[in-house]
Amino acid sequence: IEQIKNRYWAQGNENEMGVVQNRLYTKRGKVETWLFGGLMSSDPFLTIRSLGFQSAYHFNETFSLGAFGMRNWSSASSALEVLELGGKKANTNAPRGTIGTELQSSLLYGKLSLLGASILYYDMHVGAGLAVTSTETGTYAGPSFSVGQNVYINKRVSLRFDYRMIAYRENIVEKEITAKLGQVVGARNNFSNSFQFGVS
């Protein structure tokens, strides 16, 4: 009650007048760290799994700035296995890892009823930034965009789901034609789609 009275008499101080939002879990002035794993869609001939870490500082309840990094492990997809059964190879360019920085904005904060038994608190966010991706043929920079949400378990822990798209232009090295093996035979735009889940 004393906290409510203090906010009531805040005399226009916006930092103290957050009762209308009724946020049970606040982020202002806090650092969020996130461990995640996921899958990446970058090349139809590759199956890519990732493991990563992200840390961000929340300036207020809406905006945060952070950095992330992830390590990728690639293997042949079922499409490549079928191709190789026919004695062919694909000019793949497996991503090895990505680092980047991102400005995020929390657009939605709300509550959901879980079977009428408890209340789930969630926070939806979007982000944009710059990412640098290391691949078999080199290192490439490009923009990244993300959307996701946190589902709060308690005051300090939440489950986090994110989708991130990373775009860059990459060189392609020949792996099939003997006379051109190891040579750069072209370039293409890569739009990597990453689906990530973890604990924040």
Side-chain angles (χ1 to χ4, degrees):
I1 293 175
E2 288 301 318
Q3 291 179 352
I4 294 173
K5 287 165 63 179
N6 289 337
R7 289 176 178 172
Y8 180 82
W9 297 108
Q11 299 179 353
N13 184 348
E14 294 184 359
N15 293 332
E16 297 294 331
M17 296 179 68
V19 290
V20 175
Q21 299 178 42
N22 195 25
R23 289 179 179 266
L24 182 63
Y25 306 117
T26 61
K27 306 186 299 291
R28 179 186 180 89
K30 297 177 181 176
V31 174
E32 177 184 10
T33 56
W34 176 37
L35 294 173
F36 62 84
L39 298 173
M40 178 180 288
S41 173
S42 176
D43 187 311
F45 294 111
L46 295 175
T47 297
I48 305 168
R49 295 173 178 83
S50 61
L51 186 66
F53 173 85
Q54 180 169 330
S55 184
Y57 176 77
H58 293 272
F59 300 104
N60 49 42
E61 298 300 331
T62 304
F63 294 103
S64 66
L65 180 64
F68 65 90
M70 58 182 160
R71 175 76 169 87
N72 300 318
W73 291 268
S74 302
S75 59
S77 69
S78 57
L80 182 57
E81 289 174 354
V82 170
L83 192 67
E84 289 178 340
L85 285 175
K88 301 291 184 180
K89 293 184 179 180
N91 290 336
T92 58
N93 184 28
R96 293 173 175 163
T98 303
I99 58 172
T101 184
E102 190 172 61
L103 177 66
Q104 288 194 341
S105 176
S106 295
L107 300 180
L108 291 174
Y109 175 84
K111 304 179 225 181
L112 297 171
S113 172
L114 180 62
L115 302 176
S118 62
I119 299 295
L120 292 178
Y121 294 85
Y122 69 92
D123 198 336
M124 177 190 165
H125 50 265
V126 296
L130 179 68
V132 177
T133 301
S134 172
T135 73
E136 287 181 82
T137 66
T139 301
Y140 309 98
S144 72
F145 305 94
S146 67
V147 60
Q149 69 177 30
N150 291 56
V151 177
Y152 294 93
I153 303 301
N154 55 40
K155 184 177 180 180
R156 297 183 181 276
V157 179
S158 68
L159 298 179
R160 178 163 167 161
F161 311 83
D162 267 32
Y163 160 76
R164 175 176 282 114
M165 191 275 288
I166 301 171
Y168 55 90
R169 187 163 179 80
E170 62 183 346
N171 291 327
I172 301 301
V173 170
E174 181 61 51
K175 296 181 177 180
E176 174 69 15
I177 302 173
T178 304
K180 297 182 179 180
L181 283 180
Q183 297 180 26
V184 175
V185 292
R188 69 182 176 192
N189 295 323
N190 186 304
F191 297 92
S192 296
N193 300 286
S194 179
F195 301 88
Q196 303 157 348
F197 168 75
V199 177
S200 172

